[in-house]
Each structure stands twice: as C-alpha cells, then as structure tokens.
Amino acid sequence: MAYSINDVLADFPILKQRVNDERLAYLDNAATAQRPRQVLSALQDFYEHDNANVHRGVHTLAERATKDYEDARSKVQHFINAQSSDEIVFTKGCTDGLNLVAATYGEANIEAGDEIVISIMEHHSNLIPWQQLALRKHATLKYIGLTDQGQLDMADARQKITDKTKIVAVAHASNVLGTVTPLKELAALAHQHGAIIVGDGAQAAPHMPVDVRNLDVDFYAFSGHKMMSPMGIGVLYGKASLLRAMPPYQYGGEMISDVHRDRSTWADIPLKFEAGTQNVAGAVGLGTAIDYLQSLGMANVQAQEQKLVDYVLPKLTALPYVTVYGPQDPSQHTGVIAFNMANLHPHDVATALDMDGVAVRAGHHCAQPLMEELGLTATARASFYFYNTKSDADQLIKAIKETKEFFNGGTF
Ligand code: 7TS
C-alpha cells in the first residue's frame, strides 16, 4: 500500500525550511539524500547508550556496539537479498567499494592482454579504478556505447564482451541520463564469457528493489548517504567464494587472524576487508535508513518517483528552450533528469533556480567521458526522491520559466 506523503514529510525537518525566501524544493537527491528524524535519533541513541569500538571488547558497551553493527549488516543483507551477511562488506561509500574490487580482485586476476568492459555513461568512480588497473596491467579498457535514447546499447555490449573480457563493470542506473541498465542480462552475458560483473548501485539501491541473487551480479557497490544514512558509510556486496579468494584491501587492526614478525594470516570475510576502526554509527544509521525504506516498501518508493517523473518530464520536454537528456519516455526514465536551457550555462541555471528555492546540481556530474560523447561540457540536473511532491515539480517548472525571463526578457 502506498504511504502518506504528509507522514513522510513530517520526518524530514530539513525540507520544511525556506531558502532565499522561498519554499525549499530539494531536487539534488542524486548527490545526497536527506536524513529522516529516525536516522538522526538512531545516531543520538547509539552515542548516548552504546558507543564503543566493535569486535574487540568484552565489556557490555562493546558487546552492544558490536551487536548494533552486525545487526546493521544483516539488515543490508536482507535489503539486497544476499545469501549471507558475510557477503556484506562495510565501506566508506560506493567509490571505496569499487576501488576495493579493482585493487584486490582486479590486481589478482587481470593480466596483460585481458579486457575490462565498462559503459560510456559511468560515473568516474566506476571508470577511473578500471582505467588505472588496465594501465597498470597493460590490459584494454572498452566502453559499451548508448542508443539514441541514451540507453545502454545491448547490441554493442554483445560485441564488446568477448572471451578476452575478465571484468564487466556497469552502473545499475545512470546519474545523468536517468536510465536503468539491463544488469541481469549483462551478468548473464559476462558469465557466458567467463567474466565477472560488478554493479554500481549508487543510483539504484536507494530507489528500487534490488535482489543481488536474482541479478546474479558478482559484486554490487552503493553508498549509504544517497539513501538517508550518514555520509562515510557504504556497502560492497560480493559473492562469498570471490571475497574469500581475494587478497585484502588494507592492512591493520581487526582484519587479521594471526600476525607474526615475518608473516600474517587474514580474518575470514567480511572482516578481512574491514581494517581499522569502522564507521559503526554510520552503519547503525544505514540500518535505520533501511528500516525506514522497508517500512514504506521499495516498490512504493519506486512507484512514487515514477509518478513524479510521469508528471514533470512531459512538462519539461514541452518547453522549447529546454533539452532533456536520456529517454524522453517517462516510463524509461528514473527520477534523475539532466537538462539544459538554450545556451545558458548550467551553473547560471542552477544559481537562478536556487534564487527560487530549487536545489539542483550543475556540472559534468563526474561523468566527463559521457559529456564528451553527448557533445556537452555540463548540464543542470534535477533528481527526485520518494519525499518529493508535485509541488516540488511545479516549483521547478515555474523557476525554469522565471529563469528564462530573467536571462533573456523571455525572447530566446
Ligand atoms: N556511482 C554513481 C552512479 C554515482 O552517481 C556516484 C555519486 C558514485 C558512484 C560515487 O558515490 P560516492 O558516494 O562514493 O561519492 N554520484 C554523485 C552525483 O551524481 N552527484 O554527486 C555525487
């Protein structure tokens, strides 16, 4: 059953403020989401009652903190339907998780002449780790292209993924084009050729049901802060057999089994990949954010965002001076909408929209090869979450119309 938007909004005090004397329309959720009271209280509660370092103390607070941390891991496991909580590695965020895979699995398995396949729409976090790995190993990095509508081109994927491919790494949802990639199909294709697949779930896990076993991805990384947890916590899912075979990422406390003067052995997964004191409060906050999302239901979260896209996208595409990138069909578009206004610089657009209380991002969105492919240097981008409303969408459209008047007396 759908949730009440008024109940939801009551949980987000930050959204009630006025900005530049206008109602705030927060449409920069692809950069980071806002935190509900429940997450803020969970942090306060943790620090007021349970705070201690984990996996090392026998005192009561240490045991409580360890339980809180491991409970959060189980919540993540169930959220993405992993087989075991051992397959959930806490990271600093999506970037950290992707770097982990490149630096461990990649370092151990890529050889000269091998091929790594990504797509041209990748965020730099799912591009540079593979680019640098390929350079280090004298391997080849290949890019899957796009269709005219900005979807991942599966025909091109079938050409690019071959028996030479060792790793395929693709965003589950684009942070610019608002497209969802056929990750399950890509996983099957990668596996047919003996390659592994890494999903970048930064823009997908917060917005739609994700089932890593159904997708059959080998690794899947995402960030907590885009789904309402504190910054500095994220998740790397990896199949247990792969994680076990991989060398550690960083060395230090808690990731070891035994240390001698001249050699060491490693803890079992997932602790092998969690060296040093971890972001325990972050994990607790993430667990609470997951509870919150699950109380709404991820299908309802996705449906609410789809309703907003169905409403706002035709209004945007109807404006002759606005160009929307990615699919024009709302049913093919997520709540991430990149656009430009005639020849206005996107930073000017974002600044003008902010004067009307509308928060959007402008820039290359950490996807410069995609910008190059589209013949652009930058775009403005509005990105919606489940707590956004039609009023936010109306305010965006109104502010865009006012921006046109402001810059050009209404004549462009
Ligand atoms: N992958 C994708 C698809 C992303 O959108 C982002 C962040 C990342 C990886 C990296 O996530 P992080 O939490 O480790 O930084 N994307 C954006 C964005 O679009 N605007 O700000 C951050």
Side-chain angles (χ1 to χ4, degrees):
M1 224 189 56
Y3 53 86
S4 144
I5 191 75
N6 287 334
D7 288 353
V8 160
L9 284 174
D11 293 331
F12 291 85
I14 197 169
L15 297 175
K16 291 194 193 113
Q17 68 189 288
R18 290 179 74 77
V19 166
N20 295 326
D21 252 353
E22 302 281 347
R23 170 187 182 278
L24 169 65
Y26 183 77
L27 298 177
D28 194 19
N29 293 289
T32 199
Q34 299 300 349
R35 302 4 171 187
R37 287 180 201 280
Q38 288 81 343
V39 169
L40 303 178
S41 343
L43 297 179
Q44 175 129 9
D45 213 52
F46 174 77
Y47 282 120
E48 283 186 358
H49 299 107
D50 294 355
N51 180 53
N53 215 325
V54 298
H55 294 140
R56 56 195 84 194
V58 292
H59 61 78
T60 302
L61 263 54
E63 283 184 357
R64 275 198 229 139
T66 302
K67 182 173 183 314
D68 293 343
Y69 186 62
E70 292 305 324
D71 283 351
R73 199 190 303 278
S74 300
K75 288 178 189 181
V76 175
Q77 176 206 339
H78 296 297
F79 185 62
I80 58 171
N81 196 30
Q83 192 159 11
S84 153
S85 64
D86 292 346
E87 298 180 315
I88 306 301
V89 177
F90 282 123
T91 63
K92 283 192 294 184
C94 188
T95 303
D96 191 33
L98 295 166
N99 273 279
L100 189 161
V101 181
T104 58
Y105 184 91
E107 207 60 42
N109 291 284
I110 293 292
E111 291 172 5
D114 287 345
E115 295 185 353
I116 301 169
V117 178
I118 66 174
S119 90
I120 196 67
M121 72 172 107
E122 298 312 312
H123 185 281
H124 295 163
S125 294
N126 196 33
L127 190 161
I128 310 172
W130 309 117
Q131 177 193 65
Q132 295 301 308
L133 174 67
L135 287 171
R136 279 200 303 279
K137 297 282 186 173
H138 304 286
T140 304
L141 182 63
K142 286 180 163 179
Y143 289 84
I144 303 168
L146 305 174
T147 65
D148 293 348
Q149 283 288 300
Q151 311 271 15
L152 185 132
D153 184 348
M154 275 308 285
D156 194 37
R158 282 186 209 96
Q159 298 278 320
K160 299 268 165 69
I161 299 171
T162 69
D163 288 349
K164 285 189 171 176
T165 310
K166 292 292 183 303
I167 299 175
V168 177
V170 172
H172 195 184
S174 165
N175 70 321
V176 178
L177 297 170
T179 48
V180 177
T181 60
L183 197 54
K184 185 174 169 153
E185 234 182 296
L186 284 164
L189 188 59
H191 293 151
Q192 266 167 34
H193 291 282
I196 60 123
I197 185 153
V198 183
D200 171 353
Q203 300 294 346
H207 301 281
M208 62 187 76
V210 169
D211 180 334
V212 290
R213 269 189 282 178
N214 180 261
L215 292 168
D216 198 19
V217 282
D218 298 292
F219 296 98
Y220 193 88
F222 56 100
S223 290
H225 71 93
K226 293 186 202 289
M227 48 189 279
M228 309 182 294
S229 86
M231 292 178 178
I233 186 80
V235 172
L236 175 69
Y237 160 80
K239 284 184 182 164
S241 56
L242 294 173
L243 289 175
R244 286 214 168 88
M246 276 153 54
Y249 182 32
Q250 294 185 319
Y251 301 102
E254 286 310 298
M255 51 74 66
I256 52 91
S257 170
D258 277 304
V259 179
H260 306 278
R261 290 182 192 213
D262 56 350
R263 77 202 131 85
S264 303
T265 54
W266 317 131
D268 196 1
I269 60 168
L271 298 188
K272 179 169 82 173
F273 297 104
E274 296 180 1
T277 294
Q278 297 296 299
N279 183 356
V280 179
V284 168
L286 176 58
T288 310
I290 287 175
D291 288 342
Y292 192 98
L293 286 168
Q294 287 189 321
S295 74
L296 303 176
M298 286 308 290
N300 292 328
V301 164
Q302 189 176 26
Q304 168 67 8
E305 288 180 37
Q306 191 60 53
K307 264 203 276 184
L308 290 166
V309 176
D310 291 347
Y311 179 72
V312 78
L313 197 62
K315 290 190 191 303
L316 273 173
T317 49
L319 298 173
Y321 49 89
V322 170
T323 307
V324 171
Y325 302 99
Q328 308 291 299
D329 173 358
S331 74
Q332 301 298 307
H333 210 116
T334 69
V336 172
I337 305 176
F339 64 95
N340 273 321
M341 290 183 63
N343 56 356
L344 292 186
H345 194 284
H347 280 117
D348 292 338
V349 172
T351 305
L353 296 185
D354 184 56
M355 280 165 22
D356 285 330
V358 179
V360 300
R361 184 180 167 187
H364 54 58
H365 311 295
C366 305
Q368 281 187 322
L370 173 63
M371 292 290 127
E372 204 175 77
E373 176 84 359
L374 299 174
L376 301 167
T377 48
T379 76
R381 181 190 68 185
S383 52
F384 290 79
Y385 207 10
F386 65 87
Y387 44 60
N388 287 123
T389 60
K390 280 190 174 170
S391 304
D392 296 324
D394 287 337
Q395 198 172 331
L396 170 68
I397 300 293
K398 183 163 171 276
I400 287 176
K401 290 179 177 167
E402 283 174 9
T403 299
K404 174 183 183 285
E405 301 298 320
F406 178 79
F407 277 104
N408 214 343
T411 55
F412 72 94

